[in-house]
Amino acid sequence: MVRWEPNPRGRLQEAALALYGEHGFENTTVAEIAERAGLTERTFFRHYADKREVLFDGADAFTEAFVGTVANAPAPEAPIDAVTAGLLAAAALIASREFARQRQAIIAASPELQERELSKFASLSTSLADTLRERGLDEPAATLTSELATAVFRVAFERWIEESEDRDLSQLIRESLDQLRAVTAGA
Amino acid sequence: MVRWEPNPRGRLQEAALALYGEHGFENTTVAEIAERAGLTERTFFRHYADKREVLFDGADAFTEAFVGTVANAPAPEAPIDAVTAGLLAAAALIASREFARQRQAIIAASPELQERELSKFASLSTSLADTLRERGLDEPAATLTSELATAVFRVAFERWIEESEDRDLSQLIRESLDQLRAVTAGA
């Protein structure tokens, strides 16, 4: 008789996050994650390519929401407005501030994970620039706009996970966009 | 009798660039670089920690020129103007377009080198944000401004090394800054 185990991805993620927090990312093995989750290593590898990927589970959905919203924004909209809509759509997918805090502390402790995170953001920025060009925005405006957008997200997100912060991520994104306009208008 | 070999760094760099171009970064060893340069492996490691670092030789000087200029900019200057001065000072250190083109082609072919490059830019951005905060700029404006500045540099630099491009890097930086203002003003 095979026992049905619901939500293996979520359980693997929870187990990994707990173990990375307790022993550090480098000192945790896939076998330990699977064991903690009550699953097999084979099940782990059916869901994740490696132990880094557990921490980037939502990255594709995030990119899809972001870029998809920009692609489908009404045509006359200014690029920065389309990008703002994309940022807010993607941000809406990030549900748990506590999970985000734990995850970020683990990434901050590992150069390998920091590099992976930077490279995920770089891919996001490239997809976004492609989409902006398809919407008729020229270079270098397309690449600049996409770099701005990812910078705005990173800054807002870092504030959002600060212990003292209780405003919504969407509000912090809007504030960062306002700051961006103030900073560039200063010249 | 010890023969004096002038400019070992430059010769190692030239040898490495040639070999990475011919055989790929992954397939080149430190021993081969040293041999091509007519030097020993020991000499190589006196100058560079590993074979990646040969490609990032000027990164510290670049950061120093950039951040140092921002730190010393006259106090009443708007942050974006201080940052522009820093960008132009750092760009002035990049002398050879042909070297930059070859180097960038090698980096583009290696995920490992791309990650290193992203992480160098992230460090630059962090130093710059620290400096802007020391100059009295609050967060998130300091981090946003430093992210903008590195984005402007990357975009201008990528255009500068295009085969068809013959404008100066400083001119392309100014144009990217203008674009940035146009894009953010659009909202």
Side-chain angles (χ1 to χ4, degrees), chain A residues 52 78-81 112 115-116 118-119 122 137-145 147-148 151-152 154-155 158-159 175-177 179-181 183-187, chain B residues 52 78-81 112 115-116 118-119 122 137-145 147-148 151-152 154-155 158-159 175-177 179-181 183-187:
Chain A
R52 292 198 295 187
I80 192 83
D81 293 327
E112 185 190 344
E115 291 200 341
R116 175 68 66 105
L118 286 171
S119 127
L137 195 62
D138 289 334
E139 286 297 353
T143 297
L144 277 170
T145 306
E147 292 280 331
L148 298 189
V152 161
R154 275 208 302 264
V155 165
E158 272 164 32
R159 299 181 79 195
E175 284 183 26
S176 289
L177 281 161
Q179 286 276 352
L180 180 70
R181 276 188 281 269
V183 162
T184 46
Chain B
R52 291 199 296 187
I80 192 84
D81 293 327
E112 184 190 344
E115 291 200 341
R116 174 69 66 106
L118 286 171
S119 130
L137 194 63
D138 289 334
E139 285 298 352
T143 298
L144 276 169
T145 306
E147 293 281 329
L148 297 190
V152 161
R154 275 207 303 263
V155 165
E158 272 164 32
R159 298 181 80 195
E175 284 183 26
S176 288
L177 282 161
Q179 286 276 351
L180 180 70
R181 277 188 281 270
V183 163
T184 47

Side-chain angles (χ1 to χ4, degrees), chain A residues 133-173:
Chain A
R133 271 194 305 275
E134 282 160 20
R135 282 177 59 94
L137 195 62
D138 289 334
E139 286 297 353
T143 297
L144 277 170
T145 306
S146 68
E147 292 280 331
L148 298 189
T150 48
V152 161
F153 177 79
R154 275 208 302 264
V155 165
F157 182 80
E158 272 164 32
R159 299 181 79 195
W160 184 62
I161 60 173
E162 278 170 17
E163 280 306 326
S164 57
E165 186 59 63
D166 57 7
R167 281 168 293 179
D168 285 347
L169 181 53
S170 60
Q171 194 186 334
L172 293 166
I173 287 171

Side-chain angles (χ1 to χ4, degrees), chain B residues 142-177:
Chain B
T143 298
L144 276 169
T145 306
S146 68
E147 293 281 329
L148 297 190
T150 47
V152 161
F153 177 77
R154 275 207 303 263
V155 165
F157 182 79
E158 272 164 32
R159 298 181 80 195
W160 184 62
I161 60 174
E162 278 170 16
E163 281 306 326
S164 56
E165 186 59 64
D166 57 8
R167 281 168 294 179
D168 283 347
L169 181 53
S170 61
Q171 192 185 337
L172 294 166
I173 287 172
R174 288 182 193 284
E175 284 183 26
S176 288
L177 282 161

